[in-house]
Amino acid sequence: MTKASISLQDLRRKIYLKAKSDKTWRFWGLYVHVCKMETLKTAYRDAKENNGAPGIDGVTFEDIERAGVGVLLRQIRNELVSETYRPMRNRIKEIPKDKDRVRVLGIPAIRDRVVQGGLKLILEPIFEADFQEGSYGYRPKRSAHAAVDRVAEAVVKSKTRVIDLDLRAYFDNVRHDILLRKVAERVNDEKVMRLLKLILKASGKRGVPQGGVVSPLLSNIYLNEVDKMLERAKDVTRHGRFTYIEYARFADDLVILVDGFRKWEWLLKAAYKRLVQEFEKLDVQMNQEKTRIVDLTRHETFGFLGFEYRRVRTRRGVWGVRVTPKTEKRTALIRELKEVFRRHQSQPVDRVIYLINPILRGWVNYFRVGNSSKCFGYIKDWVEKKIRRHLMRARKRRGFGWNRWSRAWIYETLGLFNDYGVRHYKA
């Protein structure tokens, strides 16, 4: 595992194949690959593509480019090789969440993001071989849309009893000792474990920072035993090609769906009981106020990844599922757009469109699956009217100018975002 001539891509592939073929193998000699310049260059490129905000030191990518990327990478490599590397404290940033709540992000300095990225590149293929099919959060070649599709398919297959789970401040309460023990089950490299411990301690005595490069991988490792338990429940109750329990997890967002037939009531209760036991082992708290058991046959709904799921009759008269953006997500988008219009009410319309187009594009691209057409129509109509009002206000007139400006002119000439088509997810 320590041949210097092997490329990073080939190394990751070999690590993955070994981890997949031998579930008990503990990998050694990994630290030298974390320190390789090829690994650090790849980690820097990935960090720059994400284009995140600077850390607590205030250093930006532009500053690094002016001084020379090679200078930074050689310095990081020398500190890693001599084991003098020490991560900086994370910069704390609060971002708005639903219902006047905030999500606390811990943003590492760029140099620390490079180190975390290098560590992730080497550790990721090991644990990718161990992760389960129902885990989708921040994994290669997996997406939130795939998780949404998996849940919708389960509802169509009559899995109508749902455990809609909510974890209380999951990322803030990950215990470092448990996490390090789980990593050590597959990693037999003292230097790698020491580096990982330094990274964890930089964010405090407990938790993994939301915003850290390696945090998504670590959060998946921490909950992998929960996924394994649900996979075992799925296999034990399987009858040929038919299954009676399904689940999907994206980071800390987890739903479990059980067949609605009365025969499987025990399976619903057993799954909930085992979830409680597994979370107790991990010292993870379930939010009892928000965790619900939903019965879709009684016209109840549940949410997952910003979507609302409802069991409905299709035009053919069979039971299907309607997947739409949650109302609070639409409200949050409109609130953000209103703020842009308010702040720039005296600015040219080109400037306003320049600012709102990326917001619309990002929101629509995320929600353009399922049955989002009606919601998209509402958003499109609302935005167009705001643009028309902006134009009329600039001319000190009232109304929307329906006779003055055609829709073609607004979307084609002004360039207002107009791609509201819903696309079906394809695996």
Side-chain angles (χ1 to χ4, degrees):
M1 300 304 294
T2 60
K3 292 181 181 179
S5 60
I6 191 171
S7 71
L8 178 61
Q9 183 177 357
D10 290 340
L11 173 69
R12 282 167 54 84
R13 182 63 178 168
K14 286 190 175 184
I15 290 175
Y16 175 80
L17 292 175
K18 178 63 179 177
K20 196 73 172 177
S21 62
D22 189 346
K23 296 293 186 180
T24 62
W25 183 262
R26 297 179 68 209
F27 289 81
W28 53 272
L30 299 173
Y31 191 74
V32 66
H33 297 294
V34 176
C35 300
K36 284 169 62 175
M37 191 58 71
E38 182 187 2
T39 304
L40 297 178
K41 285 180 179 178
T42 303
Y44 177 82
R45 185 176 66 246
D46 293 343
K48 187 177 179 182
E49 286 179 358
N50 290 330
N51 195 29
I56 197 169
D57 59 354
V59 176
T60 65
F61 286 103
E62 289 76 15
D63 297 332
I64 293 172
E65 298 286 342
R66 280 195 295 268
V69 177
V71 175
L72 173 70
L73 298 184
R74 283 192 294 272
Q75 179 186 355
I76 292 174
R77 184 181 185 279
N78 291 337
E79 290 182 13
L80 289 174
V81 171
S82 62
E83 298 184 45
T84 57
Y85 167 77
R86 296 292 184 275
M88 300 180 186
R89 289 184 296 107
N90 296 319
R91 182 170 70 88
I92 302 303
K93 169 93 174 160
E94 293 183 349
I95 60 174
K97 202 177 176 181
D98 301 337
K99 297 180 181 178
D100 299 324
R101 295 181 300 164
V102 295
R103 177 181 286 112
V104 180
L105 297 183
I107 303 175
I110 293 175
R111 67 188 296 272
D112 296 329
R113 273 179 253 174
V114 174
V115 174
Q116 290 188 31
L119 184 61
K120 178 188 174 185
L121 286 168
I122 302 304
L123 292 183
E124 187 176 57
I126 298 174
F127 294 98
E128 267 298 311
D130 294 340
F131 290 155
Q132 307 302 305
E133 283 298 313
S135 170
Y136 288 87
Y138 312 107
R139 292 179 58 192
K141 299 180 180 179
R142 288 180 168 249
S143 67
H145 289 170
V148 169
D149 189 67
R150 179 185 178 99
V151 173
E153 184 179 350
V155 175
V156 171
K157 293 181 178 179
S158 299
K159 295 178 177 66
T160 56
R161 300 298 304 278
V162 183
I163 303 175
D164 186 6
L165 198 72
D166 186 86
L167 302 182
R168 192 186 303 274
Y170 166 65
F171 287 95
D172 298 333
N173 290 301
V174 171
R175 280 180 47 180
H176 293 171
D177 58 324
I178 296 177
L179 176 58
L180 290 169
R181 188 165 63 247
K182 288 180 176 294
V183 174
E185 290 175 0
R186 289 294 249 162
V187 176
N188 184 21
D189 190 316
E190 292 182 1
K191 293 182 178 180
V192 167
M193 297 303 297
R194 175 181 172 275
L195 177 60
L196 179 57
K197 189 173 182 180
L198 287 173
I199 292 171
L200 289 173
K201 295 304 179 185
S203 63
K205 296 182 179 180
R206 193 171 177 134
V208 293
Q210 295 189 64
V213 177
V214 76
S215 296
L217 173 63
L218 298 178
S219 65
N220 282 332
I221 293 172
Y222 202 74
L223 290 180
N224 194 41
E225 284 301 320
V226 176
D227 298 337
K228 287 182 179 179
M229 179 273 291
L230 293 169
E231 286 289 342
R232 286 194 296 270
K234 187 175 176 179
D235 289 339
V236 167
T237 58
R238 181 188 296 273
H239 184 72
R241 62 188 179 89
F242 296 103
T243 60
Y244 302 97
I245 183 171
E246 188 58 274
Y247 75 100
R249 183 176 66 80
F250 196 99
D252 62 334
D253 204 346
L254 172 65
V255 289
I256 298 98
L257 304 98
V258 179
D259 192 287
F261 191 52
R262 189 178 301 173
K263 172 184 176 181
W264 299 106
E265 182 71 23
W266 70 269
L267 182 56
L268 180 74
K269 295 178 181 178
Y272 186 85
K273 182 179 179 181
R274 289 287 290 116
L275 278 173
V276 172
Q277 293 171 351
E278 289 295 331
F279 287 134
E280 284 180 353
K281 293 178 186 177
L282 299 173
D283 200 11
V284 172
Q285 301 296 319
M286 294 172 57
N287 190 336
Q288 298 295 340
E289 296 177 359
K290 295 185 177 180
T291 297
R292 305 180 303 142
I293 295 180
V294 176
D295 188 349
L296 297 179
T297 62
R298 297 183 178 180
H299 308 291
E300 296 175 353
T301 64
F302 70 97
F304 181 60
L305 296 180
F307 290 88
E308 183 179 76
Y309 291 76
R310 183 186 302 272
R311 188 170 181 251
V312 296
R313 287 278 188 186
T314 67
R315 292 179 179 179
R316 298 178 182 177
V318 298
W319 285 111
V321 59
R322 180 173 293 277
V323 183
T324 56
K326 296 177 74 172
T327 304
E328 50 262 41
K329 296 297 182 181
R330 188 186 72 181
T331 302
L333 171 66
I334 290 177
R335 187 184 302 119
E336 184 177 2
L337 294 173
K338 276 184 178 179
E339 184 64 18
V340 175
F341 280 107
R342 185 188 68 80
R343 288 190 174 189
H344 299 84
Q345 58 184 349
S346 61
Q347 297 290 314
V349 71
D350 292 348
R351 174 64 175 167
V352 175
I353 290 176
Y354 174 79
L355 292 172
I356 68 172
N357 272 359
I359 299 172
L360 287 168
R361 187 178 297 110
W363 194 89
V364 171
N365 282 342
Y366 181 80
F367 285 105
R368 67 165 76 252
V369 294
N371 310 94
S372 301
S373 296
K374 185 176 180 179
C375 178
F376 284 180
Y378 178 90
I379 295 295
K380 181 179 180 180
D381 182 64
W382 185 90
V383 172
E384 183 183 334
K385 286 180 178 178
K386 291 292 286 187
I387 290 293
R388 289 179 175 277
R389 288 296 297 271
H390 187 92
L391 288 166
M392 292 295 282
R393 191 177 290 114
R395 288 157 178 79
K396 297 182 179 180
R397 292 175 175 270
R398 295 182 178 181
F400 297 97
W402 297 110
N403 296 325
R404 184 183 291 261
W405 302 291
S406 68
R407 284 185 171 175
W409 184 83
I410 288 178
Y411 290 107
E412 295 174 13
T413 304
L414 291 183
L416 180 62
F417 177 80
N418 193 32
D419 183 12
Y420 290 92
V422 175
R423 300 164 190 165
H424 295 288
Y425 172 77
K426 294 183 179 179

